[in-house]
């Protein structure tokens, strides 16, 4: 924890000497923790993925310091080989309501090389609303899988524990960590393009039922 403290927004910012090989230290609020080695931190509107060396005792909303090495295995940088320590409590960030179209459009200008002030929602706590298409119950360690029609695209939400199975057609509002998947850059020098948006849910409370489908179905008829 003697490493230089940088903001999450500037974790992998440009430097004339290139990407540092030493540890970097950040502060943030825990928005997701799987109880093992996967952690998400957020500060203001920027979130990052952190891979810990060892499990820790953490709660959603804890304010922590994390020291680790820059991880570029994903399109947007995070930290790996990290150690964490709790420095206090902090109110958990409020999820930002979004649509898939908004997310895709915000990345389209960046992909086309146009001037932009893009701050990607990858790793950020967001909220999506849509109609449940399917609820596949997972067998541990596999998570439950929810396919949600958000009107402009289908998103997949993953939940490890604590949910009652819902019927297809249920209107839901889900809160979770945005996990964006990008295709690799093309051979014609195009930048990577955004392919899909998934959500990592923390527990069953991240699923709010907006309305239930009619009991009267063709099968019951």
């Amino acid at each position: 924890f003697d490493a230089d403290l940088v903001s999450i927004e500037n974790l992998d910012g440009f430097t004339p000497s290139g990407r540092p090989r030493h540890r970097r230290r950040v502060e943030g609020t825990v928005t997701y923790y799987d109880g093992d080695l996967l952690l998400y931190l957020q500060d203001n509107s920027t979130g990052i993925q952190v891979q810990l060396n060892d499990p820790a005792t953490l709660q959603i909303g804890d304010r922590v310091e994390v020291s680790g090495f820059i991880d570029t295995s994903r399109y947007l940088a995070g930290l790996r080989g990290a150690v964490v320590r709790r420095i206090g409590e902090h109110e958990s960030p409020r999820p930002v309501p979004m649509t898939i179209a908004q997310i895709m459009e915000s990345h389209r200008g960046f992909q086309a090389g146009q001037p932009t002030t893009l701050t990607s929602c990858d790793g950020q706590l967001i909220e999506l609303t849509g109609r449940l298409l399917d609820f596949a119950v997972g067998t541990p360690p596999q998570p439950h899988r929810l396919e949600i029609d958000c009107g402009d695209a289908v998103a997949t939400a993953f939940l490890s524990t604590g949910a009652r199975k819902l019927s297809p057609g249920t209107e839901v509002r889900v809160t979770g960590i945005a996990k964006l998947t990008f295709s690799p850059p093309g051979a014609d020098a195009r930048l990577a393009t955004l392919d899909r948006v998934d959500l990592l849910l923390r527990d069953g409370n991240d699923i709010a039922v907006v309305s239930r489908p009619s009991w009267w179905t063709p099968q019951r008829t």
Side-chain angles (χ1 to χ4, degrees):
F1 294 102
D2 290 333
D4 292 338
L5 178 66
V6 298
S7 66
I8 286 179
E9 294 95 331
N10 295 319
L11 175 64
D12 195 30
F14 172 79
T15 59
S17 59
R19 181 175 287 121
R21 297 180 181 272
H22 303 290
R23 284 184 177 273
R24 309 208 89 181
R25 178 168 57 98
V26 299
E27 289 185 7
T29 301
V30 176
T31 53
Y32 179 92
Y33 181 48
D34 69 352
D36 190 20
L37 303 179
L38 179 61
L39 174 71
Y40 277 86
L41 295 184
Q42 185 169 322
D43 197 38
N44 297 321
S45 60
T46 303
I48 60 168
Q49 183 188 92
V50 177
Q51 291 287 342
L52 298 175
N53 271 340
D54 299 294
T57 303
L58 297 171
Q59 301 290 333
I60 303 298
D62 282 350
R63 190 72 178 175
V64 298
E65 277 187 329
V66 172
S67 175
F69 301 95
I70 294 178
D71 178 15
T72 58
S73 61
R74 301 177 68 245
Y75 186 69
L76 296 175
L79 289 175
R80 60 177 173 80
V83 292
V84 59
R85 66 181 178 187
R86 184 175 177 273
I87 58 176
E89 294 181 355
H90 192 279
E91 183 178 355
S92 183
R94 292 182 177 274
V96 179
M98 291 187 176
T99 66
I100 303 295
Q102 288 174 336
I103 297 171
M104 300 292 283
E105 183 61 31
S106 69
H107 287 76
R108 191 167 290 119
F110 176 73
Q111 188 272 333
Q114 300 170 355
T116 180
T117 56
L118 168 69
T119 299
S120 176
C121 72
D122 190 37
Q124 185 181 4
L125 189 65
I126 69 169
E127 181 181 277
L128 293 175
T129 301
R131 181 172 60 89
L132 185 66
L133 299 177
D134 185 52
F135 191 124
V137 177
T139 302
Q142 297 300 318
H144 306 316
R145 183 186 178 104
L146 291 75
E147 299 291 340
I148 303 169
D149 182 359
C150 297
D152 42 25
V154 175
T156 304
F158 298 93
L159 174 65
S160 296
T161 59
R164 183 179 61 181
K165 185 174 182 179
L166 299 173
S167 302
T170 303
E171 291 287 334
V172 294
R173 183 171 58 251
V174 291
T175 300
I177 305 299
K179 187 176 180 181
L180 308 187
T181 301
F182 296 83
S183 62
D188 56 356
R190 289 180 302 170
L191 298 176
T193 55
L194 177 59
D195 285 338
R196 57 179 293 133
V197 179
D198 296 329
L199 280 186
L200 298 178
L201 311 185
R202 287 84 56 89
D203 56 36
N205 294 324
D206 281 338
I207 305 173
V209 174
V210 177
S211 66
R212 299 186 183 276
S214 172
W215 181 88
W216 196 254
T217 65
Q219 289 80 5
R220 290 195 171 103
T221 301

